[in-house]
Amino acid sequence: MLYFSVPLGKLVRRVSRLRGGGSALPGLVVEKIDPGFMQRTLSTLPLGVAVVSGTNGKTTTTKMVVELLESQGLKVFTNRTGSNFTRGVAAALLGEVDWRGRLDADVAVLELDEAHAVHFVNKVPPRYSLLLNVLRDQLDRFGEIDKTAELLQHIASKTTGTVVLNREDPRVARIAQSVDGPEVLYFGLDDSLLSTFPNDDDMRTAPGSPVPAAPAREAADVVLRRVGADDADFEYDGATVTTPMLLRGVYNIFNAAAALTLARAISGARGTGTDQAGLLTALSKVAPAFGRGESLVVDGLPLELVLVKNPSGFRLGLKSFPAAGYATMIAINDNYADGRDMSWLWDVEFDTLRDGGVDQLTGSRAYDMALRLQYDDVAIGAVDTEIAPALAAFIRGGQGKPKRIFCTYTAMLAIRRELSKITTVEVVS
């Protein structure tokens, strides 16, 4: 049956792209005129829908799951733009379906914002869900952290097949207690790596104070045992395997354990077995998602973009990417997509930047960042709230050195736009 909403949505999508408009606008239009579009389209997929949600790591983890499943010969639909609201999914669908609304895919793997995932799963119950973590992020949107945990719990409650949980995050691990029906799988860390990934309670407990009791650690389907400079060890099926990794940052490697767990569950559901060697080969080739440890080349030297949006993410970014030898810039915006409350900057320790200082600060909250760095005795080269001239000055001043920019989400998008004028930047469409 031909639904007029599909050709109309495709027309809006084409016009929007020609005008340089937002990628989610066509999805918003089709949601209004045809509320059943997503459910009708996604219900035809043989292996159903997998939802990836949580505070940190959704985009990179989703990218990994997609590439792992494609290595198994599966056709995967995903919202590649990183627009993780329901209208972003609808817009991505419009780009993939034919004029009759048919989607040529075996499975959908979708990154979804915690709050919007709740609306999505009410319409389209997923067969799989992967819940990564719960951290203090955008408190102006979500309120207290336990509210975020409740959102993820709702996703799990709507999942019909398999729920994959982070064993090391107590708020996520506890979700298993409320799951009735779906299979529960865990991904986890070796004991030696636990201190690298403090949960929210760990970060907010004063030294010597009692730490809230965590649930007993369950056996994990995949465990990250070791992180090297360019490889990692994962344990599953009773054996430990080593694989090279293009991804950088300990948080990305931990997310690889999550992606392996979900990909193994989905590919195993076909009944034809899983090519384990193929999964590892694919994992070794996964490049960072845009802005998530992405490395570009400017003036013949690398320029790395590291997305930061909450205390845990910024801490892990600083730990994963040592400052020595790099020119450093920090770009902090407080637009809606970043979260308006920037008080979380005071929960990050910046002492690792003390030796080399920060060459350039920019973004709408650049002076807030400057004040925070002064309290950690970090020298600052220049402050300019306008991103374009600040970036240009940073590149000029850092000639002859590799560069790294820590940036919030909308600042990252603005920086990528400016960089696209002088170097090759991945096009996300």
Coordinates of all heavy atoms in Angstrom, one line a residue, residues 13 17 21-26 59 62 77-93 95-96 109-111 289-290 292 409 412-413 416 426-429:
R13 N 12.4 16.3 2.7 CA 13.9 15.9 2.9 C 14.8 16.5 1.9 O 15.8 17.1 2.2 CB 14.0 14.4 3.0 CG 15.4 14.0 3.4 CD 15.5 12.4 3.6 NE 16.8 12.0 4.0 CZ 17.7 11.6 3.2 NH1 17.6 11.7 1.9 NH2 18.9 11.2 3.7
R17 N 17.5 19.6 2.5 CA 18.9 19.4 2.2 C 19.4 20.4 1.2 O 20.5 20.9 1.4 CB 19.2 18.0 1.7 CG 19.0 16.9 2.8 CD 18.9 15.5 2.1 NE 20.2 15.1 1.6 CZ 21.1 14.5 2.2 NH1 21.0 14.2 3.5 NH2 22.3 14.1 1.6
G21 N 19.0 22.8 5.5 CA 18.2 22.7 6.7 C 18.6 21.6 7.6 O 19.4 20.7 7.2
G22 N 18.0 21.5 8.7 CA 18.3 20.4 9.7 C 17.8 19.0 9.2 O 16.8 18.9 8.5
S23 N 18.5 18.0 9.5 CA 18.3 16.6 9.0 C 17.0 16.1 9.7 O 16.4 15.1 9.1 CB 19.4 15.7 9.3 OG 19.7 15.6 10.7
A24 N 16.5 16.6 10.8 CA 15.4 16.0 11.5 C 14.0 16.6 11.0 O 13.0 16.1 11.3 CB 15.5 16.2 13.0
L25 N 14.1 17.7 10.2 CA 12.8 18.4 9.8 C 11.9 17.4 9.1 O 10.7 17.4 9.4 CB 13.1 19.6 9.0 CG 11.9 20.3 8.4 CD1 10.9 20.8 9.5 CD2 12.3 21.4 7.5
P26 N 12.3 16.6 8.1 CA 11.4 15.7 7.4 C 10.8 14.7 8.3 O 9.6 14.3 8.2 CB 12.3 15.0 6.4 CG 13.5 15.9 6.2 CD 13.7 16.6 7.5
T59 N 26.7 7.2 20.5 CA 27.0 7.3 19.0 C 28.1 6.3 18.6 O 27.9 5.6 17.6 CB 27.4 8.7 18.7 OG1 26.3 9.6 19.0 CG2 27.7 8.9 17.2
T62 N 26.8 2.6 18.9 CA 25.9 2.3 17.8 C 26.7 2.0 16.6 O 26.4 1.1 15.8 CB 24.9 3.4 17.6 OG1 24.1 3.6 18.8 CG2 23.9 3.1 16.5
F77 N 19.8 -1.1 9.2 CA 19.4 0.3 9.2 C 19.8 1.0 10.5 O 19.6 0.4 11.6 CB 17.9 0.4 9.0 CG 17.3 1.8 9.3 CD1 17.5 2.8 8.4 CD2 16.7 2.0 10.5 CE1 17.1 4.1 8.7 CE2 16.2 3.3 10.8 CZ 16.4 4.3 9.9
T78 N 20.3 2.2 10.4 CA 20.6 3.0 11.6 C 20.4 4.5 11.3 O 20.3 4.9 10.2 CB 22.1 2.7 12.0 OG1 22.3 3.3 13.3 CG2 23.1 3.2 11.0
N79 N 20.4 5.2 12.4 CA 20.3 6.7 12.3 C 21.7 7.3 12.3 O 22.2 7.7 13.3 CB 19.4 7.3 13.4 CG 19.7 6.8 14.8 OD1 20.3 5.7 15.0 ND2 19.4 7.6 15.8
R80 N 22.3 7.2 11.1 CA 23.7 7.6 11.0 C 24.0 9.1 11.3 O 25.2 9.4 11.6 CB 24.3 7.3 9.6 CG 24.2 5.8 9.3 CD 24.9 5.5 7.9 NE 24.7 4.1 7.6 CZ 25.4 3.1 7.9 NH1 26.5 3.4 8.7 NH2 25.2 1.9 7.5
T81 N 23.0 9.9 11.2 CA 23.3 11.3 11.5 C 23.6 11.6 13.0 O 24.1 12.7 13.3 CB 22.1 12.2 11.1 OG1 20.9 11.8 11.9 CG2 21.7 12.0 9.6
G82 N 23.3 10.7 13.8 CA 23.4 10.9 15.3 C 22.3 11.7 15.8 O 22.3 12.1 17.0
S83 N 21.3 12.0 15.0 CA 20.1 12.7 15.5 C 19.3 11.6 16.3 O 18.6 10.8 15.7 CB 19.2 13.2 14.4 OG 18.1 13.9 14.9
N84 N 19.4 11.7 17.6 CA 18.9 10.6 18.4 C 17.5 10.9 19.1 O 17.2 10.3 20.1 CB 19.9 10.2 19.5 CG 20.4 11.3 20.4 OD1 19.7 12.3 20.5 ND2 21.5 11.2 21.0
F85 N 16.7 11.7 18.5 CA 15.3 11.9 18.8 C 14.5 11.1 17.9 O 14.9 10.7 16.8 CB 14.9 13.4 18.8 CG 15.6 14.3 19.8 CD1 16.5 13.8 20.7 CD2 15.3 15.6 19.8 CE1 17.1 14.6 21.6 CE2 15.9 16.5 20.8 CZ 16.8 16.0 21.6
T86 N 13.2 10.9 18.2 CA 12.4 10.0 17.4 C 12.2 10.6 16.0 O 12.2 9.9 15.0 CB 11.0 9.9 18.0 OG1 10.4 11.2 18.3 CG2 11.1 9.1 19.3
R87 N 12.2 12.0 15.9 CA 12.0 12.6 14.6 C 13.3 12.4 13.7 O 13.3 12.3 12.5 CB 11.7 14.1 14.7 CG 12.8 14.9 15.4 CD 12.3 16.4 15.5 NE 13.2 17.2 16.2 CZ 13.1 17.4 17.5 NH1 12.1 16.9 18.2 NH2 14.0 18.2 18.1
G88 N 14.5 12.2 14.4 CA 15.7 11.9 13.7 C 15.6 10.5 13.1 O 16.1 10.3 12.0
V89 N 15.1 9.6 13.8 CA 14.9 8.2 13.3 C 14.0 8.2 12.1 O 14.2 7.6 11.1 CB 14.4 7.3 14.4 CG1 14.1 5.9 13.8 CG2 15.3 7.1 15.6
A90 N 12.8 8.9 12.2 CA 11.9 9.0 11.1 C 12.5 9.6 9.9 O 12.3 9.2 8.8 CB 10.7 9.8 11.6
A91 N 13.3 10.7 10.1 CA 14.0 11.3 9.0 C 15.0 10.3 8.3 O 15.1 10.3 7.1 CB 14.8 12.6 9.5
A92 N 15.7 9.6 9.1 CA 16.7 8.6 8.6 C 15.9 7.5 7.8 O 16.4 7.1 6.7 CB 17.5 8.0 9.7
L93 N 14.8 7.1 8.3 CA 14.0 6.1 7.6 C 13.5 6.7 6.2 O 13.5 5.9 5.2 CB 12.7 5.8 8.4 CG 12.9 4.7 9.5 CD1 11.6 4.6 10.3 CD2 13.2 3.3 8.8
G95 N 15.1 8.5 4.3 CA 16.2 8.4 3.4 C 16.5 7.0 2.9 O 17.2 6.8 1.9
E96 N 15.9 6.0 3.5 CA 16.2 4.6 3.2 C 15.1 3.8 2.6 O 15.3 2.9 1.8 CB 16.7 3.9 4.5 CG 18.0 4.4 5.1 CD 19.2 4.1 4.2 OE1 19.2 3.1 3.5 OE2 20.1 5.0 4.2
V109 N 19.4 -0.8 14.2 CA 20.2 -0.4 15.4 C 20.1 1.1 15.6 O 20.7 1.8 14.8 CB 21.6 -0.9 15.3 CG1 22.4 -0.6 16.6 CG2 21.7 -2.4 15.1
L110 N 19.5 1.5 16.6 CA 19.2 2.9 16.8 C 19.7 3.5 18.0 O 19.5 3.0 19.1 CB 17.6 3.1 16.7 CG 16.9 2.6 15.5 CD1 15.4 2.7 15.7 CD2 17.4 3.3 14.2
E111 N 20.5 4.6 17.9 CA 20.9 5.4 19.0 C 19.7 6.3 19.4 O 19.2 7.0 18.6 CB 22.1 6.3 18.6 CG 22.5 7.3 19.7 CD 23.4 8.4 19.1 OE1 23.9 8.3 18.0 OE2 23.5 9.4 19.9
A289 N 33.5 7.6 15.8 CA 32.4 8.4 15.3 C 32.7 9.9 15.3 O 33.6 10.3 16.0 CB 31.1 8.2 16.2
F290 N 32.1 10.7 14.4 CA 32.5 12.1 14.2 C 32.5 12.8 15.6 O 31.5 12.8 16.3 CB 31.6 12.8 13.2 CG 30.2 13.1 13.6 CD1 29.9 14.4 13.9 CD2 29.3 12.1 13.7 CE1 28.6 14.7 14.2 CE2 28.0 12.4 14.0 CZ 27.6 13.7 14.3
R292 N 34.2 12.2 18.2 CA 34.4 11.3 19.4 C 35.8 10.7 19.3 O 36.0 9.5 19.1 CB 33.4 10.2 19.5 CG 32.0 10.6 20.1 CD 31.1 11.3 19.1 NE 29.8 11.5 19.7 CZ 28.8 12.1 19.1 NH1 29.0 12.7 17.9 NH2 27.6 12.2 19.6
Y409 N 28.8 19.4 22.5 CA 28.3 18.9 21.2 C 28.1 20.0 20.1 O 28.6 19.9 19.0 CB 26.9 18.3 21.5 CG 26.3 17.7 20.3 CD1 26.8 16.6 19.6 CD2 25.1 18.3 19.7 CE1 26.2 16.1 18.5 CE2 24.5 17.8 18.6 CZ 25.1 16.7 18.0 OH 24.5 16.1 16.8
M412 N 31.3 21.3 18.9 CA 31.9 20.4 18.0 C 31.4 20.5 16.6 O 32.1 20.5 15.6 CB 31.7 19.0 18.5 CG 32.3 17.9 17.6 SD 31.1 17.1 16.5 CE 30.1 16.3 17.7
L413 N 30.1 20.7 16.5 CA 29.5 20.8 15.1 C 30.0 22.1 14.5 O 30.3 22.1 13.3 CB 27.9 20.9 15.3 CG 27.3 19.6 15.8 CD1 25.7 19.8 15.8 CD2 27.6 18.4 14.9
R416 N 33.6 21.6 13.4 CA 33.7 20.7 12.2 C 33.3 21.5 10.9 O 33.9 21.4 9.8 CB 32.8 19.5 12.3 CG 33.3 18.5 13.4 CD 32.4 17.3 13.5 NE 32.9 16.2 12.6 CZ 32.4 15.9 11.5 NH1 31.3 16.5 11.0 NH2 32.9 14.9 10.8
E426 N 34.7 14.3 7.5 CA 33.7 13.3 7.2 C 32.3 13.9 7.1 O 31.9 14.7 7.9 CB 33.6 12.2 8.3 CG 32.5 11.2 8.1 CD 32.3 10.3 9.3 OE1 33.1 10.5 10.3 OE2 31.4 9.4 9.3
V427 N 31.6 13.6 6.0 CA 30.2 14.2 5.8 C 29.2 13.2 6.4 O 29.2 12.0 6.1 CB 29.9 14.4 4.3 CG1 28.5 14.8 4.2 CG2 30.9 15.4 3.7
V428 N 28.4 13.6 7.4 CA 27.4 12.8 8.0 C 26.1 13.2 7.4 O 25.6 14.3 7.6 CB 27.4 13.0 9.5 CG1 26.4 12.1 10.2 CG2 28.8 12.6 10.1
S429 N 25.4 12.3 6.8 CA 24.2 12.6 6.1 C 23.1 11.6 6.3 O 23.4 10.5 6.8 CB 24.4 12.9 4.6 OG 25.0 11.7 4.0

